[in-house]
Amino acid sequence: MKKNGKYIIWCGIIAMWALGCKKPYTPNVISSNNNYLVVEGVINTGGDSTVIRLSRTVNLSSGVTINPELNATVIIQSDQNQTYSLHSIGNGQYASTPLTLDNTRKYRLSIGTSDGKAFLSDYVPAIATPPIDSVGFTILNNGVQIYVNTHDPNNNTHYYRWDYNETWIFHAKYDSEYISNDSTDVVPRSPDKQIYQCWGSGISTVITLGSSAKLSQDVIYQSPIIFIPSTSEKIESRYSILLKQYAMTSDGYNYYTILKKNTEQLGSIFDAQPSQLTGNIHCTTDATLPVIGYISAGTVQQKRVYINNSQLPTWQPTYPYTCGLDTAFYASKGPNPVNQVLQNLVPQPNSNITIYAVFGNGPNPIGYTYSDPDCADCSIRGSLTKPSFWQ
């Protein structure tokens, strides 16, 4: 027994010594003070606005995820010395007026930042993007797989990129039928105060590419765009996706392929190793300063489609919060109309609860049920305003 006791003591000492020898490891990639310019966007030559987003890289340890570049000067230049200025629309985004440019010319982007540095992209040819043939969906792996079909009858494009905006109707868990009126009365909720149905929205967060370069015909068939699980509230009622299609050069396609691998396909020992990412934008005031981004030019094609819940299997989307209803009774008995003064209710309604229903017999209700705003107020996560394009 004594030997066993000594063994346990020595094991404890060794374990404490091992834990005490651990040192925090902070690699340079986390702590380095890099502040590189990031340029995103396409020079749109097809009669629409060009929108360019400028931002800065941030340290992984900073806790900051968005660092927009403000007060910059952004200009489109043609190889015929024509210029078109972009103006700030906020949050690091710069937009032009609608432009119809000559697709036989080449274009580049000129950027001046507030710290006095100048940047130029390489001249790139303007590419006419073929129309989107169709956007469809199929039921796959207990969800909805949205795909795109397109082709170039001239067999000239071969390289494609897509992004999208998505919008959907969703509902609160409970339909709040009553509201506190000026923090004094409980009254029926009028139609203009409804908080049950809202519209949610999102944008693409991954790089989606397609290529027909190895095919005899320039055809893209059912290229995957986005997968929506059956449990998602996006398909609870009605869903819409606006898909945008861009034709690319082989250099642009290779850039985005490497960017996709470096940002989306790393993390396990079986993934590809990071590759050197070289864009077509350069700092002309400091040639050693890296710039992240690739500017292309051309027309943009887009198509919007809708998916109704009636087109799908009888799935039951999962509400994102755990919800329940609580009950409160009037503190005093006797005649208490629906507009009972809130101070007489237990508990008193406030900004943290949403009244679901008043209950009782006849004109003298005896209390009400309520829930958290997350469960009965959809405007916390979406918009009550119907989008102008919604059909």
Side-chain angles (χ1 to χ4, degrees), residues 137 139 144 169 234-240 305-313 315 390-391:
F137 69 91
I139 307 304
V144 179
I169 292 177
K234 292 181 181 181
I235 51 177
E236 168 199 331
S237 178
R238 184 168 169 81
Y239 172 88
S240 176
V305 297
Y306 292 84
I307 301 175
N308 294 318
N309 178 265
S310 59
Q311 298 174 264
L312 306 176
W315 291 324
W390 195 262
Q391 298 177 2

Side-chain angles (χ1 to χ4, degrees), residues 98-110:
L99 299 173
T100 301
L101 304 179
D102 186 349
N103 276 340
T104 66
R105 310 312 317 173
K106 293 183 178 181
Y107 300 90
R108 70 179 180 183
L109 209 60
S110 171

Side-chain angles (χ1 to χ4, degrees), residues 78-369:
S78 77
D79 59 2
Q80 296 293 299
N81 297 321
Q82 296 171 311
T83 60
Y84 310 89
S85 297
L86 282 68
H87 63 277
S88 173
I89 57 175
N91 201 30
Q93 295 187 90
Y94 300 83
S96 72
T97 58
L99 299 173
T100 301
L101 304 179
D102 186 349
N103 276 340
T104 66
R105 310 312 317 173
K106 293 183 178 181
Y107 300 90
R108 70 179 180 183
L109 209 60
S110 171
I111 301 170
T113 52
S114 58
D115 59 2
K117 292 185 171 57
F119 303 83
L120 279 176
S121 67
D122 298 335
Y123 279 113
V124 292
I127 303 176
T129 301
I132 298 172
D133 291 334
S134 63
V135 179
F137 69 91
T138 185
I139 307 304
L140 180 68
N141 297 329
N142 205 29
V144 179
Q145 178 65 65
I146 298 176
Y147 60 79
V148 61
N149 294 316
T150 188
H151 77 287
D152 181 359
N154 297 319
N155 206 36
N156 290 329
T157 304
H158 302 301
Y159 302 102
Y160 300 83
R161 182 172 67 87
W162 298 277
D163 60 31
Y164 58 82
N165 297 328
E166 53 180 349
T167 310
W168 60 91
I169 292 177
F170 72 96
H171 298 90
K173 180 70 172 180
Y174 305 115
D175 186 2
S176 176
E177 300 173 359
Y178 290 82
I179 188 173
S180 57
N181 182 15
D182 298 327
S183 299
T184 57
D185 297 331
V186 173
V187 297
R189 188 180 291 275
S190 59
D192 63 312
K193 299 292 186 182
Q194 79 84 23
I195 52 175
Y196 180 61
Q197 176 176 288
C198 286
W199 281 264
S201 61
I203 60 174
S204 49
T205 57
V206 298
I207 298 169
T208 306
L209 305 170
S211 173
S212 63
K214 295 182 179 180
L215 302 178
S216 59
Q217 293 182 317
D218 194 350
V219 175
I220 300 293
Y221 178 69
Q222 292 194 357
S223 184
I225 298 298
I226 179 176
F227 178 79
I228 306 175
S230 62
T231 55
S232 173
E233 68 177 1
K234 292 181 181 181
I235 51 177
E236 168 199 331
S237 178
R238 184 168 169 81
Y239 172 88
S240 176
I241 183 170
L242 175 65
L243 184 67
K244 298 179 182 179
Q245 178 170 283
Y246 309 88
M248 308 181 68
T249 62
S250 59
D251 288 341
Y253 181 84
N254 291 336
Y255 171 85
Y256 278 100
T257 298
I258 294 173
L259 181 62
K260 184 178 180 68
K261 289 179 179 178
N262 287 351
T263 57
E264 301 174 20
Q265 299 176 3
L266 299 178
S268 78
I269 60 175
F270 301 106
D271 289 325
Q273 294 300 305
S275 303
Q276 179 67 37
L277 187 65
T278 303
N280 65 347
I281 310 168
H282 318 281
C283 181
T284 58
T285 50
D286 183 357
T288 65
L289 190 64
V291 186
I292 301 173
Y294 192 98
I295 291 297
S296 58
T299 58
V300 180
Q301 299 288 346
Q302 61 184 32
K303 184 179 287 290
R304 179 180 295 280
V305 297
Y306 292 84
I307 301 175
N308 294 318
N309 178 265
S310 59
Q311 298 174 264
L312 306 176
T314 54
W315 291 324
Q316 294 296 325
T318 302
Y319 199 73
Y321 304 107
T322 300
C323 295
L325 290 172
D326 291 313
T327 302
F329 292 91
Y330 289 112
S332 60
K333 302 298 181 182
N336 291 305
V338 171
N339 64 345
Q340 168 72 37
V341 176
L342 292 186
Q343 281 76 2
N344 291 336
L345 300 180
V346 181
Q348 295 179 15
N350 53 49
S351 60
N352 294 322
I353 64 175
T354 306
I355 301 169
Y356 173 63
V358 173
F359 60 90
N361 295 322
N364 301 319
I366 60 175
Y368 63 93
T369 57

